[in-house]
Amino acid sequence: MHFLRATPILGALLAQALAALVVAGLLSALLPELAGRFGIDPIIWGALVLQALLSAGLTRGLGLAVWWQWIAFAFPFAVALALAAGSLPAWPFGVAFLLLYLFFSNTARERVPLYLTNRATIEALRRLMAERGATRFIDLGSGLGGVVRGMAGKDRNAEGYETAPMAFLISAILSKLTGRGTIHRRDIWSADITDADIVYVFLSPEPMPMVHDKARREMKPGSLLVSNSFAIPGLDADEIWDLSDRRKTRLYLYGMKG
């Protein structure tokens, strides 16, 4: 089970395969009777819905993150749509796959999807830096770099770490053009956070224990780890900031004691 959680794409494929076996078994037993009563089209749609529900449930049962459950649910319909496309040229699917890779290639490897931080959260982070007299800010998994650009300036040094190719390219270009912040193409586990006053993450529940381990080992005493929406399991935050934005953002603040 731990291996599947560490390599979630294998767990997702296993869930689809097991669900497909169940659906195939039911169809082989019930297809003649159901086809005579309802026709073939409702049976196909019913099988797709059942495959989606079973695979999503199995993905949850395997302990995979919530976005894998949504992927598992959507996958059968996506395959059906691709097969139904039939005469459509193949290049749109190739382009779609390439774009998904360029923006989300680190999701399967690091279990870190692309989340975008809103302006209200950036303003709260600025206020936090001002209250603590902090000057160096690091965003681990900086995405399109909006937080880094928003935090840079007024004696604030801001850096971001991003590995998804397109997200890195866009954020690096925007930082260069605006002269705000620095983006590194390096994964969050090899990022240098030893001199950071505040390290910000907006990742997912799965990597948070490892993020805490890294912060505890590397961050200096008195510095602060801030997690958007996802708490560190089994550890009480020193402070919790509930923002009044539309998505009801919650920031978990963890002080580093060295």
Side-chain angles (χ1 to χ4, degrees):
M1 194 73 72
H2 174 74
F3 173 75
L4 293 177
R5 284 196 290 267
T7 316
I9 192 169
L10 296 181
L13 290 173
L14 176 62
Q16 292 291 340
L18 293 175
L21 287 175
V22 173
V23 172
L26 290 173
L27 286 178
S28 64
L30 301 176
L31 183 59
E33 180 181 350
L34 293 177
R37 182 178 301 180
F38 301 107
I40 195 65
D41 286 344
I43 294 175
I44 292 174
W45 281 105
L48 285 174
V49 171
L50 182 59
Q51 172 76 20
L53 292 173
L54 284 175
S55 58
L58 287 168
T59 302
R60 179 183 177 87
L62 291 172
L64 272 61
V66 67
W67 69 85
W68 281 106
Q69 298 167 33
W70 285 108
I71 291 172
F73 182 83
F75 183 76
F77 300 104
V79 171
L81 181 62
L83 293 174
S87 60
L88 289 178
W91 66 264
F93 299 99
V95 170
F97 178 82
L98 178 61
L99 289 175
L100 286 172
Y101 169 79
L102 292 174
F103 279 101
F104 301 101
S105 59
N106 55 356
T107 299
R109 182 175 64 255
E110 299 175 8
R111 284 89 75 197
V112 177
L114 178 62
Y115 290 130
L116 300 181
T117 299
N118 59 27
R119 184 163 297 278
T121 304
I122 295 175
E123 291 174 356
L125 291 170
R126 285 180 187 157
R127 188 168 72 251
L128 178 63
M129 288 194 75
E131 289 179 2
R132 297 179 66 89
T135 59
R136 187 166 185 222
F137 176 92
I138 291 180
D139 183 358
L140 298 181
S142 52
L144 300 179
V147 176
V148 175
R149 294 191 301 276
M151 298 302 296
K154 293 184 179 179
D155 299 322
R156 294 188 304 265
N157 178 280
E159 300 177 43
Y161 289 82
E162 179 58 52
T163 55
M166 188 60 72
F168 164 76
L169 182 62
I170 291 173
S171 58
I173 290 174
L174 290 175
S175 284
K176 287 288 186 182
L177 290 176
T178 59
R180 301 179 69 86
T182 303
I183 307 296
H184 306 280
R185 187 155 196 263
R186 194 184 309 170
D187 67 64
I188 62 178
W189 312 116
S190 61
D192 181 5
I193 58 174
T194 54
D195 293 329
D197 297 312
I198 292 178
V199 172
Y200 171 73
V201 293
F202 190 7
L203 303 176
S204 73
E206 196 163 347
M208 288 309 299
M210 293 181 291
V211 170
H212 176 237
D213 287 343
K214 176 179 175 65
R216 185 168 46 84
R217 289 193 313 267
E218 302 176 19
M219 292 179 69
K220 62 188 179 182
S223 58
L224 198 65
L225 174 66
V226 180
S227 177
N228 188 328
S229 302
F230 305 112
I232 297 171
L235 183 65
D236 292 332
D238 294 292
E239 294 183 53
I240 298 176
W241 287 19
D242 289 306
L243 308 186
S244 57
D245 57 340
R246 185 179 302 176
R247 66 180 299 272
K248 303 298 181 184
T249 297
R250 172 169 285 188
L251 298 179
Y252 296 90
L253 281 56
Y254 301 91
M256 297 294 112
K257 299 173 177 60

